[in-house]
């Protein structure tokens, strides 16, 4: 029987690359995201290799999340790995310039959406127990502050602490939990953050060597396929050409 990976945000970036990586290894896939057309394309690409179930889903809608998970039929009704990947940053400007709506969207997606999916999928993981995993996609922004990080970084700090606290409660269940915290990776992330500014995205990722979606997918697959007795608590990954800056100092 194929193992099953449930991946949110599979229409782009890390989620789509992760779907491809698990398909390569023969895993059945439950793939979701809001853009159905993208999901249909991915299903068409992968369905000759593995069983694929797609569902247009907004993770902010708790009832829709629960209905999707509860309605899964064989072979998708067992879930071995949950990849809580759907997420976004908005408003790279300073906090004092940001619309409240953008803060709410980040919290609703990265925090509320992630707990909606976790709560709905957890019973399925517990049915299998040993060797199953929740892999939450955090960020270096959840650990390290930077200008314009405001609610995005705070939402990823939530992801980190939620992951650690889940570990405490799940320690005797066999369900593993990992916070994977990438640094700069070239996906649609910056296009979304800047509301469609392709030049800003190109400038950020240009003249350096960012991580790729495939780099992160490989780490997700690695974590998910470690022997049952190993739990990676947090995996923080940066491009070799990215590091921290000095403290900012306001001077007269
Ligand atoms: P992309 O923008 O390429 O992908 C984001 C994915 O999230 C899309 O599939 C999108 O699908 C989905 N998504 C967004 N909002 C929702 C929603 N409300 N409901 C369901 N799905 C949603 O970016 P990345 O692949 O880079 O981002 C994936 C994760 O990685 C995010 O959590 C991000 O914060 C995190 N991350 C990214 C880094 C980077 O540098 N790229 C670094 C560290 C972390 P759709 O629009 O179709 O709904
Ligand atoms: C995305 C990486 O550095 O833009 O989480 O916060 S960063």
């Amino acid at each position: 029987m194929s193992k099953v990976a449930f991946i949110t945000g599979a229409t782009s970036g890390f989620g789509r690359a992760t779907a491809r990586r698990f398909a390569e290894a023969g895993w059945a896939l439950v793939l979701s995201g809001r853009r159905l057309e993208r999901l249909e394309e991915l299903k068409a690409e992968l369905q000759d290799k593995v069983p694929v179930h797609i569902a247009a889903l907004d993770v902010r809608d708790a009832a829709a999340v629960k209905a999707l998970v509860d309605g899964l039929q064989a072979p998708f009704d067992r879930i071995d790995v949950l990849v809580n990947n759907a997420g976004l940053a908005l408003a790279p400007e300073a906090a004092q310039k940001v619309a409240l709506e953008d803060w709410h969207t980040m919290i609703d997606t990265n925090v509320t959406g992630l707990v909606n999916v976790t709560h709905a999928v957890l019973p399925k993981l517990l049915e299998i127990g040993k060797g199953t995993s929740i892999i939450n996609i955090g960020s270096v922004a959840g650990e390290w502050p930077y200008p314009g990080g405001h609610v995005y970084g705070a939402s990823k700090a939530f992801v980190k602490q939620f992951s650690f606290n889940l570990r405490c409660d799940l320690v005797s269940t066999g369900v593993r939990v990992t916070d994977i915290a990438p640094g700069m990776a070239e996906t649609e992330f910056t296009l979304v953050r800047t509301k469609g500014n392709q030049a800003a995205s190109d400038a950020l990722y240009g003249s350096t060597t960012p991580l790729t979606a495939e780099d992160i997918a490989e780490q997700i697959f690695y974590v998910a396929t470690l022997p049952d007795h190993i739990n990676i608590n947090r995996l923080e990954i940066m491009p070799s050409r990215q590091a921290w800056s000095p403290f900012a100092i306001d001077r007269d």
Side-chain angles (χ1 to χ4, degrees), residues 199-211:
S201 179
D202 293 345
L204 180 66
Y205 302 127
S207 313
T208 186
T209 316
L211 299 168

Side-chain angles (χ1 to χ4, degrees), residues 14 89 138-142 144 146 149 152-153 156 182-185 189-190 193 204-205 242:
F14 300 163
S139 168
V140 293
W144 311 106
Y146 59 78
Y152 177 66
K156 293 302 188 175
M184 182 174 64
F189 179 81
T190 299
R193 191 177 216 173
L204 180 66
Y205 302 127
Q242 180 181 28

Side-chain angles (χ1 to χ4, degrees), residues 15 18 47 63 73 76 82 86 90 96 103 114 139 144 157 166 172 179 198 200 204 207 215 233 250:
T18 302
Q47 68 185 356
Q73 306 287 318
F76 306 105
L82 164 61
L90 292 170
Q96 57 272 30
W103 279 359
L114 185 134
S139 168
W144 311 106
L166 277 176
S172 302
D179 171 32
Q198 186 67 53
L204 180 66
S207 313
D215 293 332
N233 297 332
D250 177 43

Side-chain angles (χ1 to χ4, degrees), residues 40-62:
E40 284 166 345
E41 282 166 21
L42 192 56
K43 181 174 178 177
E45 175 190 325
L46 301 178
Q47 68 185 356
D48 288 347
K49 287 187 199 154
V50 293
V52 180
H53 179 78
I54 57 169
L57 179 75
D58 188 326
V59 294
R60 295 172 292 182
D61 183 343

Side-chain angles (χ1 to χ4, degrees), residues 139-166:
S139 168
V140 293
E143 185 74 21
W144 311 106
Y146 59 78
H150 42 81
V151 164
Y152 177 66
S155 74
K156 293 302 188 175
F158 174 91
V159 172
K160 177 180 71 172
Q161 202 62 23
F162 182 53
S163 303
F164 291 174
N165 284 340
L166 277 176

Side-chain angles (χ1 to χ4, degrees), residues 213-228:
E214 289 71 27
D215 293 332
I216 299 306
E218 196 58 42
Q219 297 305 313
I220 293 170
F221 185 73
Y222 160 75
V223 164
T225 53
L226 282 166
D228 297 351

